[in-house]
Amino acid sequence: MFVGFLAAAGVLGVLTMVPGPDMAVVTKRAVAWGWRDGLRTVGGIACGLLVWGALTVLGLAAVLAASATAYTVVKLAGAAYLLFLGVQSLLHSRRHRAAAPVTAGGAAAKGNPWRTGLVSNVFNPKIAVFYTGLLPTLAPSGMSPHAGMALLVLLHAVLTLLWLGGYVMVLAKARAFFERPAVRTAMDRVTGVVLLGFGVRVAASQP
């Protein structure tokens, strides 16, 4: 069982590190509003994973993954949200406010970072497909299916917190660089385009 758990941890670790919408959303929040805002966004993303995990254990995620209509509704909602964030980031890049530094406390931040992370993750139907399709095959032997799945979901959430949390702190180390107006404008444009790309990709995805 221990060997199987280590193998599952390795697979989850690799999947966690693959860049995706979550990392783009975290980059946008951390660069624009500071590391505290970024960490709160990561917390929302991890909670989104727990929501999907609970739905998977209850069997609801399997229904979503198997229903073309339900999948389409969720993916379009998720795509619309990513497109909204992308447009928002591009519009923000046009505001030339040289005296607007990254605020460490995030007091000037727009929107709730935790909610931003949660919504971006909950409306990602690929998580449902991953949890119902691949995760059961990784569940350690010697445990009940529900217990094994719950353990892997918790592990995935912890790995996500560590990976994206560490990423936010790396961005924080380069805070002086990202505070430069030209750099912030460029980052807003890059993350905006990336979010738009992910939004289109999610909209065009298939179960």
Side-chain angles (χ1 to χ4, degrees):
M1 185 177 77
F2 182 70
V3 174
F5 178 76
L6 288 180
V11 173
L12 289 174
V14 171
L15 292 174
T16 300
M17 291 186 288
V18 173
D22 288 343
M23 181 170 283
V25 170
V26 168
T27 302
K28 175 183 181 299
R29 299 292 309 196
V31 170
W33 309 114
W35 65 270
R36 290 185 177 87
D37 193 285
L39 290 181
R40 294 187 185 105
T41 306
V42 173
I45 290 171
C47 287
L49 293 176
L50 295 179
V51 170
W52 278 118
L55 292 176
T56 301
V57 172
L58 293 174
L60 298 180
V63 174
L64 172 63
S67 170
T69 301
Y71 184 90
T72 299
V73 169
V74 173
K75 81 169 184 178
L76 291 180
Y81 187 66
L82 290 174
L83 291 173
F84 165 75
L85 292 178
V87 171
Q88 185 183 60
S89 187
L90 291 176
L91 291 176
H92 186 264
S93 72
R94 300 179 62 182
R95 300 172 186 170
H96 302 289
R97 295 181 296 180
V102 177
T103 56
K110 291 187 176 181
N112 184 301
W114 184 86
R115 184 175 61 242
T116 297
L118 177 69
V119 172
S120 68
N121 193 272
V122 166
F123 283 104
N124 182 359
K126 284 297 184 182
I127 301 295
V129 175
F130 166 65
Y131 274 12
T132 59
L134 178 60
L135 213 60
T137 67
L138 301 175
S141 58
M143 300 180 65
S144 69
H146 284 178
M149 288 287 292
L151 178 62
L152 292 183
V153 169
L154 288 174
L155 175 61
H156 191 203
V158 170
L159 290 174
T160 298
L161 285 172
L162 293 175
W163 173 250
L164 291 180
Y167 173 66
V168 167
M169 299 315 294
V170 169
L171 292 178
K173 292 293 184 181
R175 180 183 172 192
F177 174 75
F178 288 115
E179 280 182 340
R180 299 175 184 176
V183 174
R184 291 189 63 186
T185 298
M187 285 297 298
D188 279 335
R189 290 175 179 173
V190 170
T191 54
V193 171
V194 169
L195 286 166
L196 289 175
F198 278 125
V200 172
R201 183 177 176 180
V202 169
S205 65
Q206 299 297 324

